Amino acid sequence: MLWGGRFTGATDPLMVAFNASISFDQKLAQVDLKGSIAYVESLFESGLISQDECLKLSDGLKKIAVEWNAGEFKILETDEDIHTANERRLEELIGQLAGKLHTGRSRNDQVATDVRLWLMDAVSEISMILKDLIKTCVKRAETEIDVLMPGYTHLQKAQPIRWSHYLMSFACLWESDLERLEQLKERCDSCPLGSGALAGNPFGIDRFNLAKRLGFSKVIRNSLVGNSSKIDFIGVSDRDFIVEFLSWASLMITHLSRWAEDLIIYSSGEFGFVKLSDAYSTGSSLMPQKKNPDSLELIRGKSGRIFGNLSGFLMTYKALPSTYNKDLQEDKEPLFDTVETIKGVLLISTGVISTLMVLLFFNFR
Ligand code: ARG
């Protein structure tokens, strides 16, 4: 066991389950191994392990990556989290040498690194999906540029506007969401590995090379706390990048929920401006006249859970003493859930926009 050295008594089985995060942090399996392979190379670079040891360690880690990919990795009841699980498996594969992997490293800098790497990948994926949504909306505005609709203030008919103008109002909002997302990625892109448990790495690991190996463009400047200028982050206990992502998602879904609400209204029998495609609506067995905009209602409804993830994690994060505290393990579920939810919402929104039928055919010319 990774941390059992000083302990003689057994842990209460309820506590074992309570303490474990493997059920959800196994999502980090690949980035965890990536971090370990880079760390092994740094150990070699600093002369702490031999070339042969370096090869054995990284080969073992690569085998574990293949096992996870193939769905063959067997989680044991004793695996507390993804870090202990991967290291337990490494020991099974290459023996006691596996223990050297942890030289000067702590799960504190390890988990902070894993989550940043994972989020940077997730952000790239979300950014692509969001670009697709914007493009779909702009294309639609272009082909339907001459269609007119009533514009509303106070939900009362105000002045006629172009349908394309209305569509572009959301494309513009989403473009600013995209810009914010890219900016947030820059701040996430800073390597905490080498911070150790809190006080840094005593073995002279080159943190700049380590960061480069992992694809980070910079390193964090303080292993425990730091002032927060544009490029300055706090080490093992910094989860600002998670708060930032959750806040980003909250504003993104705010925009989407307003758009969804508009279309729910516009697709009602009373307004009749648009008709949702069958692919994104459901019917009623009892009332055949009905076409329910379930897709849009779910987009609107999922905003609650995204705001909940943000406020829940902020409550956990506030007033924590420096530096790492186990409370921080609670960062993952809201983050993972928000990433999955926002991806789903963006994909469905793109589907809704591209298949919507417009019933407002008032030509300008
Ligand atoms: N599973 C833990 C987490 O997600 C890893 C870090 C554990 N660190 C510790 N000092 N117990 O936060």
Side-chain angles (χ1 to χ4, degrees), residues 3 19-22 24-25 28 80-83 106-109 111 115 197 239 324-332:
W3 50 262
N19 196 34
S21 51
I22 187 74
F24 49 87
D25 68 13
L28 302 173
E80 180 187 324
D81 56 24
I82 185 59
H83 326 293
S106 154
R107 279 184 296 161
N108 297 355
D109 56 348
V111 73
V115 180
R239 298 293 182 275
Y324 181 84
N325 300 269
K326 198 61 177 271
D327 316 45
L328 289 174
Q329 183 164 282
E330 291 295 308
D331 61 354
K332 288 169 204 63

mmCIF file of all heavy atoms in Angstrom, residues 3 19-22 24-25 28 80-83 106-109 111 115 197 239 324-332, ligand 1:
data_model
loop_
_atom_site.group_PDB
_atom_site.id
_atom_site.type_symbol
_atom_site.label_atom_id
_atom_site.label_comp_id
_atom_site.label_asym_id
_atom_site.label_seq_id
_atom_site.Cartn_x
_atom_site.Cartn_y
_atom_site.Cartn_z
ATOM 1 N N TRP A 3 0.657 4.296 1.186
ATOM 2 C CA TRP A 3 0.889 5.170 2.340
ATOM 3 C C TRP A 3 0.844 4.448 3.682
ATOM 4 O O TRP A 3 0.834 5.067 4.727
ATOM 5 C CB TRP A 3 -0.125 6.322 2.354
ATOM 6 C CG TRP A 3 -1.558 5.898 2.196
ATOM 7 C CD1 TRP A 3 -2.279 5.908 1.035
ATOM 8 C CD2 TRP A 3 -2.441 5.366 3.201
ATOM 9 N NE1 TRP A 3 -3.539 5.427 1.253
ATOM 10 C CE2 TRP A 3 -3.676 5.089 2.572
ATOM 11 C CE3 TRP A 3 -2.320 5.108 4.570
ATOM 12 C CZ2 TRP A 3 -4.772 4.570 3.252
ATOM 13 C CZ3 TRP A 3 -3.419 4.582 5.248
ATOM 14 C CH2 TRP A 3 -4.619 4.322 4.586
ATOM 15 N N ASN A 19 -13.373 6.656 1.702
ATOM 16 C CA ASN A 19 -12.143 7.331 1.308
ATOM 17 C C ASN A 19 -11.809 7.128 -0.171
ATOM 18 O O ASN A 19 -11.101 7.927 -0.772
ATOM 19 C CB ASN A 19 -11.010 6.734 2.169
ATOM 20 C CG ASN A 19 -9.763 7.570 2.173
ATOM 21 O OD1 ASN A 19 -9.827 8.792 2.105
ATOM 22 N ND2 ASN A 19 -8.614 6.916 2.248
ATOM 23 N N ALA A 20 -12.351 6.064 -0.742
ATOM 24 C CA ALA A 20 -11.940 5.676 -2.098
ATOM 25 C C ALA A 20 -12.523 6.591 -3.172
ATOM 26 O O ALA A 20 -13.663 7.045 -3.062
ATOM 27 C CB ALA A 20 -12.373 4.238 -2.354
ATOM 28 N N SER A 21 -11.718 6.834 -4.197
ATOM 29 C CA SER A 21 -12.217 7.641 -5.316
ATOM 30 C C SER A 21 -12.090 6.889 -6.636
ATOM 31 O O SER A 21 -12.400 7.429 -7.693
ATOM 32 C CB SER A 21 -11.457 8.966 -5.386
ATOM 33 O OG SER A 21 -10.068 8.739 -5.377
ATOM 34 N N ILE A 22 -11.644 5.634 -6.554
ATOM 35 C CA ILE A 22 -11.387 4.880 -7.792
ATOM 36 C C ILE A 22 -12.624 4.749 -8.676
ATOM 37 O O ILE A 22 -12.523 4.734 -9.901
ATOM 38 C CB ILE A 22 -10.787 3.480 -7.467
ATOM 39 C CG1 ILE A 22 -10.351 2.738 -8.738
ATOM 40 C CG2 ILE A 22 -11.737 2.613 -6.648
ATOM 41 C CD1 ILE A 22 -9.111 3.239 -9.368
ATOM 42 N N PHE A 24 -14.707 6.870 -9.522
ATOM 43 C CA PHE A 24 -14.844 7.968 -10.491
ATOM 44 C C PHE A 24 -13.509 8.452 -11.056
ATOM 45 O O PHE A 24 -13.435 8.864 -12.196
ATOM 46 C CB PHE A 24 -15.654 9.143 -9.922
ATOM 47 C CG PHE A 24 -15.225 9.623 -8.552
ATOM 48 C CD1 PHE A 24 -14.233 10.566 -8.414
ATOM 49 C CD2 PHE A 24 -15.853 9.134 -7.407
ATOM 50 C CE1 PHE A 24 -13.856 11.014 -7.158
ATOM 51 C CE2 PHE A 24 -15.480 9.574 -6.141
ATOM 52 C CZ PHE A 24 -14.470 10.521 -6.011
ATOM 53 N N ASP A 25 -12.405 8.342 -10.264
ATOM 54 C CA ASP A 25 -11.172 8.926 -10.821
ATOM 55 C C ASP A 25 -10.444 7.998 -11.780
ATOM 56 O O ASP A 25 -9.403 8.357 -12.317
ATOM 57 C CB ASP A 25 -10.252 9.516 -9.730
ATOM 58 C CG ASP A 25 -9.625 8.475 -8.818
ATOM 59 O OD1 ASP A 25 -9.671 7.289 -9.140
ATOM 60 O OD2 ASP A 25 -9.070 8.892 -7.773
ATOM 61 N N LEU A 28 -9.117 9.182 -15.012
ATOM 62 C CA LEU A 28 -7.800 9.808 -15.152
ATOM 63 C C LEU A 28 -6.704 8.791 -15.493
ATOM 64 O O LEU A 28 -5.527 9.144 -15.533
ATOM 65 C CB LEU A 28 -7.410 10.525 -13.850
ATOM 66 C CG LEU A 28 -8.361 11.613 -13.343
ATOM 67 C CD1 LEU A 28 -7.925 12.104 -11.969
ATOM 68 C CD2 LEU A 28 -8.395 12.789 -14.328
ATOM 69 N N GLU A 80 -7.397 2.308 -3.734
ATOM 70 C CA GLU A 80 -8.081 3.498 -3.201
ATOM 71 C C GLU A 80 -8.433 4.489 -4.308
ATOM 72 O O GLU A 80 -9.533 5.009 -4.375
ATOM 73 C CB GLU A 80 -7.155 4.162 -2.172
ATOM 74 C CG GLU A 80 -7.722 5.409 -1.540
ATOM 75 C CD GLU A 80 -6.679 6.101 -0.652
ATOM 76 O OE1 GLU A 80 -5.882 5.394 0.005
ATOM 77 O OE2 GLU A 80 -6.669 7.345 -0.640
ATOM 78 N N ASP A 81 -7.434 4.769 -5.136
ATOM 79 C CA ASP A 81 -7.681 5.717 -6.216
ATOM 80 C C ASP A 81 -6.875 5.302 -7.442
ATOM 81 O O ASP A 81 -6.166 4.297 -7.411
ATOM 82 C CB ASP A 81 -7.371 7.165 -5.775
ATOM 83 C CG ASP A 81 -5.939 7.337 -5.259
ATOM 84 O OD1 ASP A 81 -5.057 6.541 -5.635
ATOM 85 O OD2 ASP A 81 -5.704 8.280 -4.465
ATOM 86 N N ILE A 82 -6.966 6.087 -8.484
ATOM 87 C CA ILE A 82 -6.308 5.703 -9.738
ATOM 88 C C ILE A 82 -4.777 5.645 -9.577
ATOM 89 O O ILE A 82 -4.111 4.810 -10.185
ATOM 90 C CB ILE A 82 -6.731 6.653 -10.900
ATOM 91 C CG1 ILE A 82 -6.150 6.170 -12.229
ATOM 92 C CG2 ILE A 82 -6.339 8.088 -10.644
ATOM 93 C CD1 ILE A 82 -6.571 4.773 -12.619
ATOM 94 N N HIS A 83 -4.262 6.494 -8.711
ATOM 95 C CA HIS A 83 -2.791 6.525 -8.542
ATOM 96 C C HIS A 83 -2.305 5.254 -7.856
ATOM 97 O O HIS A 83 -1.318 4.651 -8.275
ATOM 98 C CB HIS A 83 -2.377 7.765 -7.745
ATOM 99 C CG HIS A 83 -3.243 8.942 -8.016
ATOM 100 N ND1 HIS A 83 -3.261 9.565 -9.239
ATOM 101 C CD2 HIS A 83 -4.181 9.590 -7.252
ATOM 102 C CE1 HIS A 83 -4.157 10.531 -9.209
ATOM 103 N NE2 HIS A 83 -4.724 10.572 -8.016
ATOM 104 N N SER A 106 4.426 12.992 -4.843
ATOM 105 C CA SER A 106 3.333 12.749 -3.905
ATOM 106 C C SER A 106 2.062 12.614 -4.743
ATOM 107 O O SER A 106 2.002 13.101 -5.879
ATOM 108 C CB SER A 106 3.227 13.958 -2.976
ATOM 109 O OG SER A 106 1.923 14.091 -2.480
ATOM 110 N N ARG A 107 1.049 11.990 -4.169
ATOM 111 C CA ARG A 107 -0.215 11.985 -4.910
ATOM 112 C C ARG A 107 -0.772 13.400 -5.022
ATOM 113 O O ARG A 107 -1.637 13.672 -5.856
ATOM 114 C CB ARG A 107 -1.223 11.052 -4.228
ATOM 115 C CG ARG A 107 -1.013 9.602 -4.561
ATOM 116 C CD ARG A 107 -2.089 8.758 -3.951
ATOM 117 N NE ARG A 107 -2.044 8.818 -2.500
ATOM 118 C CZ ARG A 107 -3.049 8.493 -1.694
ATOM 119 N NH1 ARG A 107 -4.186 8.087 -2.202
ATOM 120 N NH2 ARG A 107 -2.934 8.567 -0.383
ATOM 121 N N ASN A 108 -0.274 14.293 -4.155
ATOM 122 C CA ASN A 108 -0.790 15.665 -4.206
ATOM 123 C C ASN A 108 -0.408 16.378 -5.503
ATOM 124 O O ASN A 108 -1.264 16.992 -6.153
ATOM 125 C CB ASN A 108 -0.281 16.469 -3.006
ATOM 126 C CG ASN A 108 -0.772 15.902 -1.688
ATOM 127 O OD1 ASN A 108 -1.558 14.961 -1.677
ATOM 128 N ND2 ASN A 108 -0.315 16.469 -0.583
ATOM 129 N N ASP A 109 0.894 16.290 -5.864
ATOM 130 C CA ASP A 109 1.244 16.930 -7.146
ATOM 131 C C ASP A 109 0.796 16.067 -8.324
ATOM 132 O O ASP A 109 0.505 16.561 -9.408
ATOM 133 C CB ASP A 109 2.724 17.344 -7.241
ATOM 134 C CG ASP A 109 3.728 16.229 -7.026
ATOM 135 O OD1 ASP A 109 3.333 15.134 -6.565
ATOM 136 O OD2 ASP A 109 4.928 16.444 -7.312
ATOM 137 N N VAL A 111 -2.058 14.221 -8.571
ATOM 138 C CA VAL A 111 -3.480 14.401 -8.913
ATOM 139 C C VAL A 111 -3.716 15.783 -9.528
ATOM 140 O O VAL A 111 -4.505 15.936 -10.475
ATOM 141 C CB VAL A 111 -4.408 14.117 -7.706
ATOM 142 C CG1 VAL A 111 -4.365 15.211 -6.657
ATOM 143 C CG2 VAL A 111 -5.838 13.909 -8.163
ATOM 144 N N VAL A 115 -5.414 16.074 -13.281
ATOM 145 C CA VAL A 115 -6.681 16.767 -13.572
ATOM 146 C C VAL A 115 -6.459 17.883 -14.601
ATOM 147 O O VAL A 115 -7.282 18.089 -15.492
ATOM 148 C CB VAL A 115 -7.340 17.306 -12.284
ATOM 149 C CG1 VAL A 115 -8.643 18.016 -12.592
ATOM 150 C CG2 VAL A 115 -7.626 16.163 -11.320
ATOM 151 N N ALA A 197 4.674 16.837 -2.026
ATOM 152 C CA ALA A 197 3.459 16.883 -1.213
ATOM 153 C C ALA A 197 3.015 18.327 -1.028
ATOM 154 O O ALA A 197 1.837 18.650 -1.014
ATOM 155 C CB ALA A 197 3.705 16.234 0.134
ATOM 156 N N ARG A 239 -7.104 24.669 -7.277
ATOM 157 C CA ARG A 239 -8.156 24.125 -8.136
ATOM 158 C C ARG A 239 -8.913 25.267 -8.803
ATOM 159 O O ARG A 239 -10.050 25.102 -9.238
ATOM 160 C CB ARG A 239 -9.127 23.241 -7.336
ATOM 161 C CG ARG A 239 -8.507 22.006 -6.687
ATOM 162 C CD ARG A 239 -8.030 20.961 -7.697
ATOM 163 N NE ARG A 239 -7.498 19.774 -7.066
ATOM 164 C CZ ARG A 239 -6.232 19.631 -6.639
ATOM 165 N NH1 ARG A 239 -5.355 20.613 -6.812
ATOM 166 N NH2 ARG A 239 -5.828 18.519 -6.062
ATOM 167 N N TYR A 324 -2.789 20.945 0.503
ATOM 168 C CA TYR A 324 -3.698 19.864 0.116
ATOM 169 C C TYR A 324 -4.509 19.385 1.309
ATOM 170 O O TYR A 324 -3.975 19.194 2.406
ATOM 171 C CB TYR A 324 -2.945 18.653 -0.484
ATOM 172 C CG TYR A 324 -3.919 17.551 -0.889
ATOM 173 C CD1 TYR A 324 -4.565 17.579 -2.124
ATOM 174 C CD2 TYR A 324 -4.251 16.530 0.001
ATOM 175 C CE1 TYR A 324 -5.497 16.610 -2.474
ATOM 176 C CE2 TYR A 324 -5.188 15.547 -0.343
ATOM 177 C CZ TYR A 324 -5.793 15.598 -1.580
ATOM 178 O OH TYR A 324 -6.722 14.641 -1.928
ATOM 179 N N ASN A 325 -5.782 19.225 1.115
ATOM 180 C CA ASN A 325 -6.685 18.599 2.087
ATOM 181 C C ASN A 325 -7.566 17.641 1.311
ATOM 182 O O ASN A 325 -7.867 17.885 0.137
ATOM 183 C CB ASN A 325 -7.573 19.655 2.762
ATOM 184 C CG ASN A 325 -6.763 20.702 3.504
ATOM 185 O OD1 ASN A 325 -6.482 20.571 4.673
ATOM 186 N ND2 ASN A 325 -6.368 21.757 2.795
ATOM 187 N N LYS A 326 -7.995 16.582 1.974
ATOM 188 C CA LYS A 326 -8.732 15.541 1.251
ATOM 189 C C LYS A 326 -10.037 16.058 0.673
ATOM 190 O O LYS A 326 -10.596 15.477 -0.263
ATOM 191 C CB LYS A 326 -8.974 14.330 2.161
ATOM 192 C CG LYS A 326 -9.343 13.027 1.438
ATOM 193 C CD LYS A 326 -8.247 12.575 0.484
ATOM 194 C CE LYS A 326 -8.522 11.256 -0.197
ATOM 195 N NZ LYS A 326 -8.051 10.084 0.514
ATOM 196 N N ASP A 327 -10.524 17.160 1.224
ATOM 197 C CA ASP A 327 -11.734 17.782 0.649
ATOM 198 C C ASP A 327 -11.590 17.921 -0.873
ATOM 199 O O ASP A 327 -12.574 17.864 -1.612
ATOM 200 C CB ASP A 327 -11.965 19.201 1.199
ATOM 201 C CG ASP A 327 -11.762 19.330 2.694
ATOM 202 O OD1 ASP A 327 -10.757 18.794 3.216
ATOM 203 O OD2 ASP A 327 -12.600 19.990 3.335
ATOM 204 N N LEU A 328 -10.340 18.132 -1.297
ATOM 205 C CA LEU A 328 -10.110 18.415 -2.717
ATOM 206 C C LEU A 328 -10.436 17.235 -3.629
ATOM 207 O O LEU A 328 -10.597 17.401 -4.833
ATOM 208 C CB LEU A 328 -8.669 18.885 -2.944
ATOM 209 C CG LEU A 328 -8.362 20.286 -2.402
ATOM 210 C CD1 LEU A 328 -6.879 20.607 -2.549
ATOM 211 C CD2 LEU A 328 -9.189 21.342 -3.126
ATOM 212 N N GLN A 329 -10.533 16.062 -3.036
ATOM 213 C CA GLN A 329 -10.951 14.904 -3.840
ATOM 214 C C GLN A 329 -12.362 15.119 -4.402
ATOM 215 O O GLN A 329 -12.748 14.501 -5.387
ATOM 216 C CB GLN A 329 -10.906 13.644 -2.972
ATOM 217 C CG GLN A 329 -11.249 12.363 -3.699
ATOM 218 C CD GLN A 329 -10.830 11.131 -2.920
ATOM 219 O OE1 GLN A 329 -9.665 10.779 -2.900
ATOM 220 N NE2 GLN A 329 -11.774 10.493 -2.258
ATOM 221 N N GLU A 330 -13.103 16.013 -3.744
ATOM 222 C CA GLU A 330 -14.478 16.309 -4.175
ATOM 223 C C GLU A 330 -14.520 17.189 -5.424
ATOM 224 O O GLU A 330 -15.585 17.640 -5.833
ATOM 225 C CB GLU A 330 -15.251 16.987 -3.038
ATOM 226 C CG GLU A 330 -15.551 16.069 -1.861
ATOM 227 C CD GLU A 330 -16.491 14.920 -2.222
ATOM 228 O OE1 GLU A 330 -17.560 15.191 -2.786
ATOM 229 O OE2 GLU A 330 -16.140 13.748 -1.969
ATOM 230 N N ASP A 331 -13.368 17.477 -6.004
ATOM 231 C CA ASP A 331 -13.372 18.308 -7.215
ATOM 232 C C ASP A 331 -13.776 17.525 -8.463
ATOM 233 O O ASP A 331 -14.236 18.093 -9.442
ATOM 234 C CB ASP A 331 -11.982 18.942 -7.453
ATOM 235 C CG ASP A 331 -10.860 17.898 -7.654
ATOM 236 O OD1 ASP A 331 -11.124 16.682 -7.507
ATOM 237 O OD2 ASP A 331 -9.718 18.303 -7.935
ATOM 238 N N LYS A 332 -13.600 16.190 -8.401
ATOM 239 C CA LYS A 332 -13.675 15.429 -9.653
ATOM 240 C C LYS A 332 -15.088 15.185 -10.158
ATOM 241 O O LYS A 332 -15.361 15.369 -11.340
ATOM 242 C CB LYS A 332 -12.943 14.103 -9.490
ATOM 243 C CG LYS A 332 -11.458 14.335 -9.437
ATOM 244 C CD LYS A 332 -10.687 13.130 -9.032
ATOM 245 C CE LYS A 332 -9.372 13.570 -8.456
ATOM 246 N NZ LYS A 332 -9.501 14.385 -7.205
HETATM 247 N N1 ARG B 1 -7.450 10.644 -4.479
HETATM 248 C C1 ARG B 1 -6.815 11.809 -3.984
HETATM 249 C C2 ARG B 1 -7.503 13.056 -4.592
HETATM 250 O O1 ARG B 1 -8.152 12.918 -5.547
HETATM 251 C C3 ARG B 1 -5.377 11.812 -4.364
HETATM 252 C C4 ARG B 1 -4.516 12.641 -3.472
HETATM 253 C C5 ARG B 1 -4.350 12.009 -2.149
HETATM 254 N N2 ARG B 1 -3.445 12.770 -1.318
HETATM 255 C C6 ARG B 1 -3.364 12.573 0.011
HETATM 256 N N3 ARG B 1 -2.499 13.320 0.645
HETATM 257 N N4 ARG B 1 -4.144 11.737 0.631
HETATM 258 O O2 ARG B 1 -7.391 14.146 -4.105
#
